[in-house]
Amino acid sequence: MTTEEHEWLKHNQNFTFYNDDYDSRIFFVDNGVQKGLYPYLIEDINKKLNTKFSIEVKDVDVLHEQFNKLENGAYFDFANTKERRENYFFVPTLYRVSTKIFFKDSKNIKDLVSLNHKRIGLVDDWYSTTNFVNQYESSLHYIPVKYKSLNELTAALQVGDIDAFVADTQVITDKAFPTLDLPRLENLYTSFAISKNNIELYTILVKYFTDLKSIEVKDMVKKSREDYFIYLFKKNEELKGLGVTVGYGINEFPASYLISNQYHGIAPTLFDSIKLIFKDSVNFTEPTLGECVDYDILLSTFENKCITDNYLLTKPYYSFELSVFNKLEGNFISRIADVNYSTVGILKNAYYYDYVKNNTLKVKMVFFDTFEEIIKAINDGEIDYAFGDQRLLLNHTINHDMYDLKTAGTLTKTFSVYMAVKKEHEALFKAINLISISSDNERLIKNIYINENEKFKRNDLWVLTSVLSGSLLIITFLLFRDYLAKKSQRRLLTMNESLIGSLEMASLYSDEETSEHNKRINIYSEHLSNLLKMPKAFVEEIRMIASLHDIGKIGIPHYILKKPGKLDPDEFDVMKQHVNIGYEIIKNTDLSLITKNIVLYHHEKWNGKGYLHLSGKDIPIEARIVSIADVYDALRQKRIYKEGFTHEVAIKIIEEERGVSFDPAIVDVFLKHHEEFRAIFENNQ
């Protein structure tokens, strides 16, 4: 800590943070006691800095007036806007939220178009309202109805005075209302707004969040979340004295699965919270593996007739598109009919059996008890293809060192995992549904494969430009951490997978349009490396790490990344720095030289006119491979600033750049097999 920071703390031991009087998981007052994530953060800051910071609650109108007068202090939950940045510094506080439409009538509201001529409740003081109005006022012909608080909104929706209301996902009520996404709106970030005459506090808090450990965040988020639901449901008389039986439902990664006779996964993690939340009202039996109608609650189940006849289903907490697997040298598929006349492996009682049976012709099905048996059967040539969740395949290949398999194609059919509650327990269902769809759950579940690696060193070059993404990333490291950490200690490969996953998610937060692009880059690069007959170890590695090529974009300002038109020369000079930033991010990690070469040199050109002016075979071959993959996919992909080109146009451009931008020998192989790259693009949207 600097001398100036020490001096500031010495004279500001009792500094005040201000917050309004709303109820949410991040701040609420229970019997006069402040609870939620913000109080836990302030408590932790006080403990580490030996301060006596406090939170003062004020009416939202008073708070806005004080804020606009630039009165001294720090403020929670004031959105980070260009105008406000003139007078305030903003430090993110671990929470990313999105703005949604909350409604009640699912029959009449199915999409955004159905909001036309509907009465929509709005709270003027909320930034989510301003954001919504600015983006949708001209395209949605809705009827605005103004209210002052969340309580007024929910009451109006319940009695039918409005058809829907706008709020962000930190808002929660005792009702699990359906929601609609608002795709034009960017995510909002909860922040400390700190007046610029307190620059020392700003730098202190940036350092605090940078150094905050994931285990500390895990404890704070878990405790504040559970505290809030206990507070929310403790007056629910319908749940008092209720006794229910509980079953796991399916036994499959990642929902619920056995390791050393103990269940792990999303379902048991959720159930631990549910037990704690209702510990004084509901008596739960300890769950065992069970099926439909055997239990009052199933923690992980797929939709089928037995379930829908007897249970109420929560919003799905895990979803995936059905994928097809085969051996590395096998064909790609673009539709399920491509497996006709082949032998396919399928799990006994698989939830996707009917779908496969009804959409294929003359397929021989071989049934297996476990996914491990399916993988072995593919390896041994007993079956041609297998069906399942792509992440399930990834989990098994990592844990069993099997890298001779690939995803041959991803189908459009989506399967989802639910919690199910017997219809006679409707009050308990509503409560559990509300818990299962909280924004904490949604964000964590999407990223359960990411494991923090403490060898990932931050440095000053990008910390300040990416602190927003970095601090939000901490939350994604919470589920399955212990299990994956043990694996990472035993195998360097798993450690690197975890680190790669963390870096990929950092890149995703910086530029969310690149998610599927990065996935395809891995597949293209692996396939092209195989065609070039590169060593097996090289192919395995490039399959994992090619997606990190643009990690440095985390340090590029969003106004440049998201610019809808062509970059001017100065902006392009900034954009070119992403290769150097990326290298700085990973240079102190245990990632390989191949990874570092790809990050630093993937924009080099064969003729020497790339970013760093390497030419010909001085450019590492891994960078030359990723360069072609990156350009092909970028040409095909629709982005904010352009429409996507057809495969034919993209191929013609790459052919024209043979010997100019690209290695001629690699281009020749790429062009010879160009239809296979078309299939990869079309199967991985």
Side-chain angles (χ1 to χ4, degrees):
M1 195 175 295
T2 65
T3 303
E4 291 81 3
E5 290 165 353
H6 277 293
E7 280 298 308
W8 188 92
L9 286 174
K10 180 179 176 181
H11 295 96
N12 293 274
Q13 286 286 299
N14 298 304
F15 194 82
T16 301
F17 293 78
Y18 295 101
N19 200 48
D20 68 17
D21 54 357
Y22 62 83
D23 274 3
S24 85
R25 299 179 298 286
I26 55 179
F27 186 84
F28 64 98
V29 179
D30 185 10
N31 291 327
V33 179
Q34 295 178 356
K35 294 184 178 180
L37 181 61
Y38 288 169
Y40 283 124
L41 281 172
I42 295 299
E43 181 183 326
D44 189 60
I45 290 169
N46 284 338
K47 180 180 177 181
K48 291 175 178 175
L49 300 182
N50 195 28
T51 52
K52 298 177 182 178
F53 294 167
S54 61
I55 301 174
E56 184 176 334
V57 179
K58 291 193 173 186
D59 179 80
V60 66
D61 293 332
V62 174
L63 207 55
H64 274 270
E65 183 179 353
Q66 180 176 316
F67 182 86
N68 292 333
K69 286 182 178 179
L70 308 181
E71 293 187 17
N72 192 37
Y75 302 83
F76 285 111
D77 276 359
F78 276 75
N80 185 347
T81 65
K82 181 179 179 181
E83 296 76 15
R84 289 172 174 173
R85 285 196 295 273
E86 293 179 6
N87 300 301
Y88 287 92
F89 296 114
F90 286 85
V91 180
T93 57
L94 307 178
Y95 244 72
R96 181 180 72 158
V97 297
S98 55
T99 302
K100 293 181 180 285
I101 297 288
F102 293 75
F103 61 96
K104 188 178 178 183
D105 186 358
S106 299
K107 291 182 180 178
N108 291 317
I109 298 180
K110 299 182 181 300
D111 51 31
L112 292 181
V113 175
S114 61
L115 294 176
N116 282 316
H117 312 299
K118 297 290 194 302
R119 298 159 299 169
I120 298 183
L122 304 169
V123 176
D124 274 339
D125 289 327
W126 289 355
Y127 184 69
S128 54
T129 297
T130 306
N131 217 4
F132 169 76
V133 170
N134 288 343
Q135 292 293 330
Y136 286 96
E137 191 172 38
S138 60
S139 57
L140 283 179
H141 304 293
Y142 62 91
I143 303 165
V145 186
K146 302 297 180 66
Y147 294 92
K148 291 185 177 180
S149 69
L150 173 63
N151 288 338
E152 289 185 7
L153 285 176
T154 56
L157 185 60
Q158 286 290 81
V159 300
D161 288 344
I162 55 175
D163 302 295
F165 65 81
V166 174
D168 65 53
T169 50
Q170 70 170 300
V171 165
I172 197 163
T173 73
D174 60 354
K175 307 293 181 186
F177 293 117
T179 61
L180 287 176
D181 292 332
L182 294 167
R184 292 187 195 171
L185 304 188
E186 292 187 358
N187 291 313
L188 306 174
Y189 302 93
T190 62
S191 302
F192 293 113
I194 301 166
S195 55
K196 285 200 170 179
N197 57 346
N198 288 310
I199 186 172
E200 295 85 0
L201 176 59
Y202 166 71
T203 57
I204 288 167
L205 289 177
V206 167
K207 291 174 182 176
Y208 166 78
F209 282 108
T210 301
D211 294 337
L212 199 59
K213 304 298 183 187
S214 64
I215 189 66
E216 297 174 297
V217 179
K218 175 182 179 180
D219 290 341
M220 283 190 274
V221 170
K222 183 175 185 293
K223 184 84 165 63
S224 59
R225 185 171 175 275
E226 290 169 347
D227 283 351
Y228 183 70
F229 283 116
I230 291 170
Y231 160 78
L232 197 63
F233 294 123
K234 66 183 177 181
K235 296 179 182 178
N236 191 325
E237 295 297 328
E238 293 180 89
L239 302 179
K240 291 285 176 65
L242 186 64
V244 291
T245 57
V246 184
Y248 278 114
I250 61 172
N251 177 24
E252 189 169 296
F253 179 91
S256 55
Y257 57 96
L258 274 170
I259 299 177
S260 302
N261 295 318
Q262 234 180 352
Y263 275 97
H264 296 257
I266 302 168
T269 301
L270 284 174
F271 184 58
D272 285 344
S273 284
I274 290 168
K275 280 192 299 185
L276 180 63
I277 290 164
F278 298 111
K279 65 182 187 303
D280 295 326
S281 55
V282 180
N283 179 34
F284 298 97
T285 64
E286 281 304 305
T288 54
L289 193 64
E291 297 179 354
C292 177
V293 307
D294 293 334
Y295 297 89
D296 296 311
I297 298 173
L298 289 172
L299 298 175
S300 51
T301 186
F302 294 95
E303 192 170 5
N304 58 51
K305 189 175 188 302
C306 177
I307 291 294
T308 54
D309 284 350
N310 297 283
Y311 291 84
L312 298 166
L313 295 177
T314 65
K315 183 177 179 179
Y317 61 78
Y318 179 74
S319 297
F320 64 90
E321 292 177 334
L322 189 62
S323 292
V324 184
F325 315 126
N326 63 354
K327 294 198 76 169
L328 202 59
E329 65 271 17
N331 294 328
F332 288 94
I333 73 162
S334 59
R335 54 201 177 101
I336 191 170
D338 291 343
V339 305
N340 288 345
Y341 304 99
S342 63
T343 302
V344 302
I346 197 165
L347 288 170
K348 291 177 181 175
N349 303 314
Y351 37 86
Y352 43 82
Y353 166 74
D354 287 338
Y355 174 76
V356 175
K357 178 184 176 183
N358 296 334
N359 290 277
T360 56
L361 180 66
K362 295 191 181 300
V363 163
K364 179 183 177 182
M365 290 192 186
V366 182
F367 296 94
F368 297 88
D369 290 317
T370 67
F371 200 77
E372 287 91 340
E373 292 175 0
I374 289 180
I375 290 176
K376 185 176 185 305
I378 294 178
N379 265 333
D380 294 345
E382 296 174 14
I383 57 177
D384 302 308
Y385 298 99
F387 290 87
D389 178 358
Q390 186 178 36
R391 293 166 205 144
L392 182 60
L393 175 71
L394 176 64
N395 179 63
H396 283 279
T397 53
I398 290 173
N399 289 335
H400 300 286
D401 295 326
M402 294 179 175
Y403 297 102
D404 293 329
L405 307 181
K406 73 170 189 299
T407 302
T410 301
L411 307 175
T412 57
K413 179 66 175 177
T414 298
F415 291 92
S416 297
V417 182
Y418 305 82
M419 296 179 73
V421 182
K422 280 282 185 69
K423 289 183 176 179
E424 55 262 38
H425 300 305
E426 186 173 359
L428 181 60
F429 162 75
K430 289 179 178 178
I432 289 177
N433 190 39
L434 187 63
I435 294 167
S436 72
I437 66 173
S438 73
S439 59
D440 297 314
N441 265 345
E442 292 174 356
R443 181 165 55 254
L444 294 175
I445 289 164
K446 287 175 184 174
N447 301 302
I448 61 173
Y449 306 96
I450 295 174
N451 179 39
E452 181 187 27
N453 186 300
E454 293 186 355
K455 293 187 178 180
F456 173 27
K457 306 290 186 184
R458 301 171 174 86
N459 66 57
D460 292 339
L461 176 64
W462 66 279
V463 163
L464 292 180
T465 55
S466 65
V467 67
L468 181 60
S469 298
S471 51
L472 287 168
L473 257 176
I474 297 170
I475 285 182
T476 66
F477 302 142
L478 308 184
L479 295 180
F480 296 173
R481 186 175 186 272
D482 291 339
Y483 169 59
L484 292 179
K486 290 174 184 175
K487 291 288 183 184
S488 71
Q489 291 166 4
R490 291 203 301 266
R491 283 199 292 271
L492 177 63
L493 174 63
T494 310
M495 182 190 74
N496 279 348
E497 280 271 38
S498 301
L499 175 55
I500 290 162
S502 301
L503 293 170
E504 284 177 335
M505 188 53 61
S507 180
L508 175 58
Y509 276 123
S510 175
D511 186 7
E512 293 184 358
E513 290 181 340
T514 65
S515 174
E516 296 303 316
H517 169 71
N518 284 343
K519 169 184 168 184
R520 291 189 295 268
I521 294 300
N522 279 345
I523 302 173
Y524 297 135
S525 300
E526 174 193 15
H527 189 54
L528 188 51
S529 297
N530 269 317
L531 294 173
L532 291 167
K533 302 190 185 310
M534 300 299 292
K536 183 177 178 181
F538 179 98
V539 175
E540 290 174 358
E541 183 163 1
I542 205 167
R543 174 186 63 82
M544 288 194 298
I545 52 84
S547 56
L548 295 183
H549 64 294
D550 276 340
I551 180 63
K553 285 185 177 178
I554 194 173
I556 303 300
H558 258 214
Y559 77 89
I560 292 178
L561 281 179
K562 299 288 188 178
K563 184 174 179 179
K566 184 178 179 181
L567 299 181
D568 64 33
D570 290 338
E571 291 168 337
F572 187 60
D573 284 341
V574 173
M575 177 64 86
K576 288 197 294 186
Q577 289 303 308
H578 80 268
V579 297
N580 304 95
I581 295 170
Y583 179 74
E584 289 296 320
I585 289 172
I586 68 169
K587 72 178 183 181
N588 292 323
T589 70
D590 285 339
L591 291 174
S592 67
L593 180 61
I594 290 176
T595 311
K596 294 166 185 175
N597 284 341
I598 287 172
V599 169
L600 192 57
Y601 299 123
H602 69 280
H603 279 292
E604 297 311 291
K605 294 187 175 184
W606 188 256
N607 64 3
K609 295 184 179 180
Y611 287 7
L612 302 175
H613 307 297
L614 267 66
S615 63
K617 292 189 177 180
D618 288 341
I619 306 167
I621 190 168
E622 52 267 25
R624 286 178 264 153
I625 290 169
V626 171
S627 174
I628 292 181
D630 187 28
V631 170
Y632 172 74
D633 198 76
L635 291 169
R636 297 295 315 273
Q637 188 179 24
K638 179 180 179 180
R639 300 299 299 269
I640 189 172
Y641 50 82
K642 74 171 186 69
E643 293 296 322
F645 291 120
T646 65
H647 173 74
E648 289 72 22
V649 171
I651 290 300
K652 182 172 174 48
I653 291 172
I654 287 174
E655 187 175 13
E656 290 172 350
E657 290 297 309
R658 181 184 183 277
V660 180
S661 294
F662 306 125
D663 182 337
I666 298 178
V667 170
D668 290 344
V669 172
F670 182 89
L671 294 176
K672 181 178 179 181
H673 297 271
H674 70 89
E675 287 295 339
E676 294 164 29
F677 291 90
R678 183 209 295 265
I680 294 173
F681 179 82
E682 293 176 353
N683 292 337
N684 293 278
Q685 296 296 310

